[in-house]
Amino acid sequence: MHVKYQDTQANTTEQLNSTGQQSHSKLSRPSSVAETVVKMLGDMGVEYAFGVSGGAIAPVWAALHQSSIQVLHFRHEAGAAFAAIEAYFASDRPVVVFTTTGPGITNALTGLLAARWEGAKVIFVSASTSSPQRGRWACQETSTYTMPSAGLFTSGTIFHYATTLESSDELSEVARRIALGLGQPGGFVAHISIPANIQTTSVNTSLPRVTLSQSMGTASEETIAKCVRLLSEGPFAIWVGFGARGAAKEIRQLAERTGAAVMCSPRAKGIFPEDHPQFVGVTGFGGHDSVFRYMREQVPRHILVLGTRLGEFTSFWNPEMIPKQSFLHVDIDPKVPGSAYPSVETLAIHSDVRLFVKAVLKYFPESLSLSTALSLPRPIHNVVHPCTSNLVLPNILMNGIQQVIVEGSDALVLAEGGNSFAWAINFLQFAKPGRFRASTGFSAMGHTCTGIVGAALARRGKAVAIVGDGAMLMNNEVNTAVAYQIPAVWIVLNDGRYNMCEQGMTYVGFKDVDATIPQVDFVKIAQGMGADGIRVETEYEIQTALEKAIAATDPFVVDVIIDPTQIAPTHNRNQSLISQGATNY
């Protein structure tokens, strides 16, 4: 990538003011560090800032309100960070998270770690204690006396770039480093911590303006030719990951020209149409048995892996997912290829996925014969007939969500960690990219319950969260959605327990554990926070409730009382735990 600088004047002249017959002009006061940082972030494309206020961050918070950036004040810092992640993916623009000192920073860490895992571009702006007060037990003191510096305030495994801004003279370098990070392919999570007294310091020098210009890496012609030769040796499969979301059109063309079977990671649902005859299923957590049927009956010589780490929730490192000869693994991160299956022959290709597939397409001009595609196994979506029970079966609920929300609207669908996204991954089908989101890496509870607010805001339209009752109680931002009139919908799978934990414990051989939750009425909670909602207690009420939710213009909660005895499709996860020793057998 290239970074260009343009000199801009930090000091500006006020427009002429008129009072009656008199007019005069005067120089405006110098910009503060807080104002300069906020302007810098706005110039880099930031449109939204999510956070929680506090005394030490007051100057930055005020500067955000006076800028073009839309500020959303949340109820918890982790929720703000989760919302920032989903706003990034909905808008493809960097997002700011702001917090005060001490617990403001530590509360946000779960969401910021999720941002790193998810590959989002998030700039975290926090406050730190002014130097004269450090070591004196200042309120919520944030310094080396009270908090570890390494990792929180330095670049490393949490932040790609982190620094404490101790002087306005450091602003140019901070701007350069952030611009470099935002311009690089993939995610970038940065932390700028600014002492309270530095935030109000005047900036009297000009700050370079940064124009982002991104250069995408691609493989050499020699590497492309080698890949084409290997893929031409016989039938191969394409394993699509979330990192390939910008190459949906090209991947479909490659599949149809070559007859390749296509499977996807849980996060990549919809990048390749799930109703396509060449789609054999979702792999990993909540995935489909049809993938294993394909790998057992038609094991490919090579698998072309596009934009996925092949981590536990995508592959469970299952040996049945190994091709006869090798993986051809394409990723923008050179550390990814070969990491999941280190003993398997892997051709590592460091490239942008779309550019790679476009280059390979030149060598495959012919179209697929339909008979090849029809020989591939397909996912089976079991839909049982409605029962007479007063409890809703989760797969019947998913069928209703498929008809009313996935097929009947253009809403974005997010699924929360736990049984919620197991049911959603397995049963919902998407024909277009960009309609489904789930965090299957860091998998923090509360991610979707709060992230839905950022997603609906940034896409400027309806977004639906499928969540569990445990996650909804842990962290939600319904009240924040009410404050900003954001059309988010929560569908709560209310079974009165942490059911993934309960079912998982039984599976791995531990009994008599308590994972129950006193039954909650989420409609009453929603109404108490200013939202609307409806409770669903039988399967016959599902369609009407979902139609009402999707038509609502304000935040809406659908509280569904589901049958807790239904086993979610999580057996692969449980088998993985057993293989790792987490068992009583």
Side-chain angles (χ1 to χ4, degrees):
M1 68 152 284
H2 305 284
V3 182
K4 300 178 181 178
Y5 293 89
Q6 273 184 323
D7 284 339
T8 56
Q9 201 64 31
N11 294 336
T12 58
T13 304
E14 276 193 66
Q15 294 180 338
L16 295 177
N17 297 318
S18 297
T19 305
Q21 299 291 322
Q22 296 181 335
S23 66
H24 64 278
S25 65
K26 62 180 180 180
L27 289 174
S28 67
R29 64 171 178 80
S31 296
S32 68
V33 166
E35 292 166 336
T36 304
V37 167
V38 168
K39 184 179 185 305
M40 172 190 76
L41 295 171
D43 290 343
M44 292 180 181
V46 172
E47 291 184 337
Y48 304 108
F50 303 89
V52 179
S53 60
I57 198 68
V60 168
W61 191 34
L64 284 167
H65 276 288
Q66 294 160 9
S67 73
S68 61
I69 297 173
Q70 184 175 351
V71 183
L72 291 97
H73 196 231
F74 270 58
R75 310 299 171 253
H76 194 277
E77 291 87 352
F82 291 136
I85 295 169
E86 298 309 325
Y88 166 74
F89 286 118
S91 66
D92 198 31
R93 298 175 74 92
V95 184
V96 161
V97 174
F98 62 91
T99 74
T100 190
T101 50
I105 296 171
T106 56
N107 282 351
L109 282 178
T110 302
L112 295 167
L113 281 164
R116 177 84 180 238
W117 276 67
E118 290 292 307
K121 285 185 165 68
V122 174
I123 311 301
F124 178 41
V125 182
S126 74
S128 57
T129 302
S130 302
S131 56
Q133 282 73 49
R134 293 172 191 169
R136 301 170 60 190
W137 297 105
C139 180
Q140 300 179 336
E141 181 169 335
T142 299
S143 72
T144 55
Y145 292 94
T146 58
M147 296 176 69
S149 177
L152 289 181
F153 305 98
T154 58
S155 307
T157 53
I158 301 176
F159 301 105
H160 294 92
Y161 170 66
T163 188
T164 299
L165 187 67
E166 300 285 9
S167 167
S168 62
D169 295 338
E170 300 170 3
L171 280 170
S172 294
E173 176 61 11
V174 170
R176 186 186 75 84
R177 292 290 296 272
I178 292 177
L180 286 169
L182 293 179
Q184 71 184 14
F188 178 68
V189 183
H191 181 194
I192 313 170
S193 188
I194 314 175
N197 63 325
I198 300 298
Q199 294 176 44
T200 53
T201 301
S202 297
V203 179
N204 296 304
T205 58
S206 60
L207 184 66
R209 179 167 180 165
V210 182
T211 302
L212 303 180
S213 177
Q214 185 167 293
S215 296
M216 292 297 219
T218 189
S220 66
E221 285 298 324
E222 181 182 0
T223 300
I224 296 294
K226 183 176 181 179
C227 291
V228 170
R229 177 176 58 79
L230 293 173
L231 297 178
S232 300
E233 291 178 350
F236 69 94
I238 302 173
W239 200 340
V240 180
F242 186 63
R245 61 193 181 278
K249 176 183 175 182
E250 290 78 10
I251 292 169
R252 179 168 182 168
Q253 289 176 345
L254 179 61
E256 292 178 344
R257 291 182 189 184
T258 61
V262 182
M263 48 197 173
C264 75
S265 72
R267 288 202 305 163
K269 285 171 66 68
I271 293 176
F272 189 84
E274 293 188 73
D275 58 358
H276 194 284
Q278 286 172 254
F279 183 71
V280 298
V282 179
T283 67
F285 186 84
H288 299 121
D289 290 337
S290 52
V291 172
F292 293 113
R293 292 203 308 274
Y294 166 72
M295 291 300 296
R296 291 167 190 150
E297 299 167 6
Q298 304 180 43
V299 56
R301 183 183 296 269
H302 303 284
I303 296 180
L304 178 61
V305 181
L306 302 175
T308 169
R309 303 182 186 99
L310 298 184
E312 183 175 11
F313 267 32
T314 295
S315 70
F316 291 110
W317 313 301
N318 192 320
E320 289 194 80
M321 298 304 298
I322 297 174
K324 285 182 181 177
Q325 188 168 328
S326 70
F327 288 114
L328 282 64
H329 199 151
V330 183
D331 205 280
I332 55 172
D333 185 346
K335 299 187 295 295
V336 165
S339 60
Y341 289 92
S343 61
V344 178
E345 183 178 344
T346 299
L347 175 59
I349 303 143
H350 182 208
S351 175
D352 170 74
V353 171
R354 182 170 179 268
L355 293 180
F356 171 84
V357 178
K358 285 185 70 174
V360 168
L361 275 170
K362 297 175 184 177
Y363 296 87
F364 292 103
E366 300 300 323
S367 297
L368 160 74
S369 65
L370 186 60
S371 59
T372 305
L374 293 178
S375 68
L376 296 170
R378 299 276 294 122
I380 298 173
H381 298 277
N382 295 316
V383 178
V384 299
H385 295 290
C387 67
T388 57
S389 168
N390 287 331
L391 299 176
V392 176
L393 298 181
N395 52 353
I396 292 293
L397 173 62
M398 294 301 131
N399 187 48
I401 292 173
Q402 178 72 35
Q403 294 177 13
V404 177
I405 294 173
V406 178
E407 298 172 10
S409 80
D410 65 350
L412 176 66
V413 178
L414 288 79
E416 180 67 77
N419 279 359
S420 299
F421 68 24
W423 291 114
I425 289 165
N426 192 273
F427 283 93
L428 300 184
Q429 302 172 71
F430 296 87
K432 295 180 180 179
R435 291 287 311 278
F436 180 75
R437 274 282 300 147
S439 171
T440 56
F442 202 60
S443 297
M445 288 183 66
H447 182 134
T448 298
C449 295
T450 56
I452 188 72
V453 178
L457 172 75
R459 79 186 302 265
R460 296 178 173 86
K462 185 75 71 172
V464 177
I466 303 171
V467 305
D469 50 349
M472 194 69 171
L473 286 170
M474 187 176 290
N475 196 359
N476 75 74
E477 294 285 346
V478 173
N479 187 256
T480 305
V482 170
Y484 300 102
Q485 297 181 307
I486 296 172
V489 173
W490 289 261
I491 301 175
V492 185
L493 278 61
N494 190 347
D495 53 15
R497 67 205 65 217
Y498 290 106
N499 212 356
M500 181 181 182
C501 298
E502 183 174 283
Q503 292 178 357
M505 290 291 280
T506 301
Y507 191 103
V508 301
F510 296 98
K511 302 185 187 304
D512 300 322
V513 296
D514 183 14
T516 59
I517 301 170
Q519 195 83 56
V520 175
D521 189 327
F522 288 100
V523 174
K524 289 182 178 178
I525 292 176
Q527 291 171 341
M529 291 191 288
D532 199 0
I534 188 170
R535 178 167 259 209
V536 174
E537 296 181 333
T538 69
E539 292 167 357
Y540 305 103
E541 301 168 339
I542 291 173
Q543 182 168 340
T544 300
L546 295 179
E547 289 173 348
K548 186 173 182 179
I550 209 70
T553 56
D554 295 322
F556 198 93
V557 172
V558 182
D559 185 11
V560 187
I561 310 303
I562 65 168
D563 185 349
T565 66
Q566 299 298 301
I567 305 299
T570 59
H571 55 278
N572 285 341
R573 163 64 170 167
N574 295 325
Q575 284 288 346
S576 180
L577 289 171
I578 290 173
S579 70
Q580 296 172 56
T583 178
N584 194 38
Y585 291 121

